[in-house]
Amino acid sequence: ITKTLAIIMGVFVACWLPFFTIYIFRSQLKNPDSIPGYLLEFFIWLGYFNSAINPVLYAILNANFRQAFHDILAAGVLVSHIK
């Protein structure tokens, strides 16, 4: 569980740290618009990417999550065949 938590937290920090760093840096500039908009958007989307990658990481790293995910998918397949 320690390894899983370390990886999840590492990915979280890697995805969100650039966003918070650039906004803190931007707040100290005389002209905040000197940072290109595409860079700000990239860092925002990098943070959003963290939300998309979390289920994948949990599925890869946690056997209990993987089993529950399998059970949900198997139940969905069975239900769709019954109807």
Side-chain angles (χ1 to χ4, degrees):
I1 217 163
T2 304
K3 178 181 135 187
T4 301
L5 184 58
I7 291 172
I8 298 291
M9 291 301 297
V11 171
F12 176 83
V13 169
C15 288
W16 282 107
L17 186 63
F19 169 79
F20 288 110
T21 302
I22 201 162
Y23 270 89
I24 290 170
F25 179 70
R26 186 174 184 245
S27 71
Q28 301 303 313
L29 295 175
K30 289 183 181 180
N31 181 12
D33 294 330
S34 63
I35 297 176
Y38 68 86
L39 190 61
L40 296 172
E41 287 185 29
F42 174 77
F43 288 141
I44 289 171
W45 280 102
L46 185 62
Y48 292 160
F49 176 71
N50 177 253
S51 297
I53 196 75
N54 269 340
V56 175
L57 289 175
Y58 278 107
I60 291 170
L61 299 172
N62 189 313
N64 291 334
F65 186 89
R66 198 169 32 248
Q67 183 61 45
F69 193 68
H70 179 268
D71 293 347
I72 290 169
L73 289 179
V77 169
L78 294 175
V79 169
S80 67
H81 286 302
I82 292 172
K83 290 182 179 180

